[in-house]
Amino acid sequence: MSDPKPLVVQLEPGKHAICTCGQTQNGPYCDGSHGGTELRPEIVEVQDVAMNLAWCTCRISGKLPRCDGSHRQMWDNPEKPPRKPDQD
């Protein structure tokens, strides 16, 4: 785990290979670090307008490589207890 919150990036129109193994040094983009494994990048094709992608960095998302809010379970603030991903 590198960070408990997602990395939000703006993807311009075109095809993008998004890392699913968590080993890339070029997050959220795939750099081939998955080589020798069964993992493959998620190919995201952005049509006409740029879009934001929330890339999971905590590695506990149920929708890897995308963030689903699971990082909220990791909050370590006693005054603001963790929330479940479905409590927005």
Side-chain angles (χ1 to χ4, degrees):
M1 172 187 62
S2 59
D3 197 346
K5 60 187 182 298
L7 171 66
V8 179
V9 294
Q10 185 175 52
L11 299 178
E12 297 298 324
K15 287 186 180 180
H16 305 273
I18 305 299
C19 174
T20 61
C21 75
Q23 301 302 312
T24 185
Q25 297 299 306
N26 190 30
Y29 307 102
C30 175
D31 67 3
S33 295
H34 62 274
T37 73
E38 294 180 13
L39 298 172
R40 299 291 176 261
E42 176 183 341
I43 305 301
V44 175
E45 187 166 0
V46 179
Q47 297 297 324
D48 303 316
V49 180
M51 65 175 266
N52 287 335
L53 171 79
W55 183 62
C56 174
T57 58
C58 73
R59 307 304 300 159
I60 62 172
S61 172
K63 297 182 179 184
L64 289 173
R66 297 168 188 263
C67 174
D68 70 358
S70 294
H71 61 275
R72 294 178 185 149
Q73 298 171 16
M74 300 167 61
W75 289 346
D76 193 23
N77 180 345
E79 295 184 344
K80 191 170 187 179
R83 295 184 297 164
K84 294 182 180 163
D86 59 348
Q87 292 179 321
D88 287 344

